[in-house]
């Protein structure tokens, strides 16, 4: 009984990691530290003696080693970057010395807890909004063509989280409900409806496009399996979703801006989310042409700001910090071509491990696509969640011969 209680405490601490949508970055980091300390205290870690599996988890820690060695050898040593990238090391280590109680039920519950946390955060945002605004203002657009709900809750909630990052949580939660729909039809259906509504309210363009692609992929998978009832239901669901979401002003105006502002460069105080992105990508390309062999390192942001200053008669880059807004450009410009190649090998390695599970593959490629417009893995929420779930999914795939794991 005593051992059972110890394991229960550790399992709860493991579940707490999945509540990241509700936590500040420092609190979510503490949840991992508590989990590890409890395991060390109760000696629940057991090293996996399978050499092939050990190598797989070591490969997963390569990104951390890259950042660590780069910062260690550079003249502008930056501890902040090393600490930020610790999840690349921590989560693979946790599963290398795998806790014996992490079984299919625990993993399944972990996914559900993440989904519930996302839903709770949605309703917290809604309460924050409705305390000062009318429900009819939910679909309003601000003067800067930003969804009013998104702008308001981002500015007025205690925990600061970039809207695209929370939208990505909604996207992942939707994906899990799609591929695990039969496991709990009522919960998954409600989660799909609520999450889709809030994705519309936040209206992150890249997330909406990935959502549309995800729904299409899911329907294609069902067609390939000739599941007629599922095909009819989700085919209709897809059509209704596309018509409803993409026909609202809050979404239409976001995409109209891209078309109307694409060729209108920044000038003075005239800038928006579209032409600033264009300015950023042009500077990314320009810096690539002048790239040193080992990249710009910690001088990268200064180089970008210099490029903005030289090419645009505007102080837009002084109002906010504009990084590369593309993780692949960030890796390239930070560490050079060799650094980027090693990262691409790392991503390819993950794909080869996950390729037999469609839900895992879809999650992985969703993150890769978000990286096209965001430095998703260089912010706590993006990197933390990616490393957590990718390591879990790799753990599941390494146990794929066990029938219990096949449904996860």
């Amino acid at each position: 009984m005593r051992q059972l209680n110890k394991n229960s405490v550790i399992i709860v601490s493991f579940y707490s990691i999945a509540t990241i949508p509700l936590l500040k970055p420092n609190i979510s980091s503490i949840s991992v530290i508590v989990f590890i300390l409890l395991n060390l205290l109760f000696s629940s870690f057991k090293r996996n003696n399978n050499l092939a599996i050990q190598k797989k988890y070591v490969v997963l820690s390569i990104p951390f080693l890259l950042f660590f060695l780069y910062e260690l050898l550079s003249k502008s040593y930056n501890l902040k970057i090393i600490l930020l990238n610790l999840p690349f090391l921590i989560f693979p280590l946790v599963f290398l010395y795998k806790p014996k109680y992490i079984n299919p039920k625990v993993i399944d519950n972990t996914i559900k807890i993440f989904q519930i946390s996302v839903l709770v955060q949605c309703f917290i945002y809604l309460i924050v909004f409705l305390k000062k605004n009318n429900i009819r203002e939910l679909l309003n657009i601000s003067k800067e063509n930003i969804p009013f709900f998104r702008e308001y809750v981002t500015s007025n909630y205690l925990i600061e989280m970039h809207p695209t990052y929370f939208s990505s949580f909604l996207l992942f939660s939707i994906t899990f409900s799609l591929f695990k729909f039969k496991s709990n039809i009522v919960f998954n259906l409600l989660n799909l409806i609520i999450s889709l509504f809030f994705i519309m309210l936040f209206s992150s363009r890249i997330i909406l496009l990935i959502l549309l692609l995800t729904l299409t992929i899911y329907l294609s998978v069902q067609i390939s399996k000739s599941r007629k009832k599922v095909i009819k239901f989700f085919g209709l669901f897809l059509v209704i979703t596309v018509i409803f979401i993409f026909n609202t002003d809050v979404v239409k105006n976001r995409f109209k801006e891209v078309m109307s502002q694409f060729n209108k460069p920044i000038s003075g105080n005239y800038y928006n989310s579209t032409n600033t992105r264009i300015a950023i990508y042009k500077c990314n390309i320009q810096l690539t042409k002048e790239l040193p062999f080992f990249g710009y390192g910690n001088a990268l942001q200064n180089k970008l700001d210099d490029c903005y200053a030289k090419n645009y008669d505007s102080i837009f880059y002084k109002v906010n910090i504009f990084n590369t807004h593309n993780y692949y450009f960030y890796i390239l410009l930070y560490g050079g071509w060799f650094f980027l190649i090693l990262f691409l090998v790392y991503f390819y390695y993950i794909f080869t491990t996950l390729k037999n599970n469609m839900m895992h593959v879809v999650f992985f490629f969703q993150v890769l696509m978000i990286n096209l417009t965001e430095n998703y893995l260089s912010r706590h929420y993006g990197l933390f969640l990616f490393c957590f779930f990718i390591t879990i999914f790799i753990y599941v795939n390494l146990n794929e011969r066990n029938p219990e794991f096949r449904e996860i």
Side-chain angles (χ1 to χ4, degrees):
M1 180 63 71
R2 188 179 177 185
Q3 182 63 37
L4 178 63
N5 290 336
K6 287 180 180 179
N7 284 349
S8 297
V9 170
I10 302 173
I11 290 171
V12 170
S13 73
F14 182 73
Y15 288 155
S16 71
I17 299 173
T19 64
I20 182 174
L22 296 167
L23 306 177
K24 289 184 176 181
N26 60 329
I27 302 300
S28 63
S29 297
I30 289 171
S31 69
V32 177
I33 294 170
V34 169
F35 170 69
I36 292 172
L37 289 177
L38 286 172
N39 275 282
L40 292 174
L41 181 64
F42 297 138
S43 301
S44 293
F45 281 129
K46 183 180 180 182
R47 184 182 177 87
N48 196 313
N49 293 318
N50 187 317
L51 186 60
I53 291 177
Q54 287 182 35
K55 288 180 179 178
K56 287 182 182 292
Y57 286 121
V58 169
V59 171
L60 289 179
S61 66
I62 283 178
F64 171 78
L65 297 176
L66 285 175
F67 280 106
F68 178 74
L69 291 174
Y70 188 97
E71 290 296 327
L72 192 65
L73 298 174
S74 69
K75 295 179 181 179
S76 56
Y77 182 77
N78 191 334
L79 180 62
K80 186 177 179 180
I81 288 182
I82 293 175
L83 293 177
L84 173 68
N85 289 282
L86 263 176
F88 281 124
L89 175 67
I90 296 299
F91 287 115
L93 278 179
V94 166
F95 281 83
L96 174 60
Y97 294 88
K98 69 182 183 74
K100 56 188 177 182
Y101 51 78
I102 294 186
N103 54 41
K105 183 180 178 181
V106 169
I107 292 174
D108 213 36
N109 288 340
T110 302
I111 293 172
K112 188 66 63 64
I113 288 168
F114 167 74
Q115 292 179 293
I116 292 170
S117 299
V118 174
L119 290 176
V120 171
Q121 187 60 65
C122 284
F123 287 110
I124 292 174
Y125 279 144
L126 186 61
I127 291 168
V128 169
F129 182 83
L130 293 178
K131 283 177 70 175
K132 296 290 184 179
N133 302 281
N134 192 292
I135 194 169
R136 288 175 294 183
E137 297 177 285
L138 277 173
L139 298 179
N140 284 2
I141 309 286
S142 72
K143 296 177 182 177
E144 295 78 20
N145 200 38
I146 298 173
F148 180 50
F149 175 85
R150 161 180 169 159
E151 186 178 57
Y152 185 85
V153 297
T154 302
S155 304
N156 292 279
Y157 186 57
L158 293 174
I159 299 175
E160 184 181 350
M161 188 186 300
H162 193 292
T164 300
Y165 287 72
F166 186 70
S167 296
S168 74
F169 292 174
L170 289 164
L171 175 68
F172 302 147
S173 183
I174 288 168
T175 302
F176 297 153
S177 280
L178 284 173
F179 284 94
K180 297 174 71 65
F181 190 75
K182 287 185 177 180
S183 64
N184 190 331
I185 293 175
V186 174
F187 171 80
N188 287 318
L189 183 58
L190 286 173
N191 182 56
L192 285 171
I193 293 169
I194 296 169
S195 298
L196 285 168
F197 178 71
F198 278 91
I199 268 193
M200 178 187 67
L201 291 183
F202 280 97
S203 291
S204 170
R205 286 172 295 215
I206 185 63
I207 299 297
L208 287 169
L209 291 173
I210 297 172
L211 169 64
L212 185 59
L213 181 60
T214 300
L215 292 171
T216 304
I217 290 172
Y218 177 77
L219 190 58
S220 299
V221 169
Q222 301 309 315
I223 291 172
S224 69
K225 294 180 179 179
S226 299
R227 294 176 177 173
K228 294 182 180 179
K229 289 184 179 179
V230 178
I231 293 167
K232 289 179 181 178
F233 177 80
F234 280 102
L236 181 62
F237 185 80
L238 175 60
V239 171
I240 293 173
T241 299
V242 171
I243 292 174
F244 179 72
I245 292 180
F246 286 86
N247 200 44
T248 57
D249 288 340
V250 72
V251 173
K252 283 195 297 185
N253 286 6
R254 294 284 288 163
F255 285 94
K256 282 181 180 178
E257 180 192 284
V258 176
M259 302 303 294
S260 63
Q261 302 297 317
F262 187 81
N263 291 317
K264 294 182 180 179
I266 292 172
S267 179
N269 292 324
Y270 178 76
Y271 53 88
N272 50 59
S273 62
T274 299
N275 59 16
T276 51
R277 291 276 179 151
I278 300 301
I280 291 167
Y281 296 148
K282 285 184 177 179
C283 279
N284 287 344
I285 294 170
Q286 185 172 323
L287 290 180
T288 301
K289 294 176 181 178
E290 306 162 3
L291 184 67
F293 183 80
F294 290 109
Y296 297 105
N298 293 306
L300 174 56
Q301 190 59 53
N302 290 334
K303 291 290 184 180
L304 283 169
D305 290 342
D306 289 343
C307 181
Y308 303 146
K310 290 177 184 177
N311 291 280
Y312 301 97
D313 181 22
S314 173
I315 61 168
F316 76 98
Y317 62 94
K318 294 182 180 180
V319 178
N320 289 301
I321 296 174
F322 289 99
N323 57 35
T324 58
H325 278 73
N326 179 300
Y327 191 69
Y328 310 110
F329 265 121
Y330 166 71
I331 292 298
L332 171 62
L333 296 175
Y334 170 83
W337 285 104
F338 185 63
F339 205 91
L340 174 63
I341 290 169
L342 287 176
F343 249 90
L344 294 178
V345 170
Y346 163 76
F347 287 138
Y348 176 74
Y349 179 81
I350 291 175
F351 170 71
T352 59
T353 308
L354 301 180
K355 64 182 180 180
N356 293 323
N357 188 305
M358 184 56 70
M359 186 182 83
H360 302 169
V361 170
V362 170
F363 170 86
F364 174 61
F365 277 99
Q366 284 172 337
V367 174
L368 294 189
M369 290 180 70
I370 297 170
N371 277 330
L372 292 171
T373 62
E374 296 291 338
N375 286 16
Y376 194 73
L377 299 184
S378 62
R379 284 201 186 199
H380 171 85
Y381 286 111
L383 178 59
F384 193 97
L385 195 76
F386 172 78
C387 290
F388 183 55
F389 276 121
I390 282 297
T391 311
I392 286 175
F393 294 157
I394 286 177
Y395 176 77
V396 170
N397 279 270
L398 293 178
N399 287 276
E400 63 183 356
R401 291 182 181 179
N402 186 336
E404 290 183 299
F405 284 89
R406 288 176 187 168
E407 297 302 316
I408 300 177

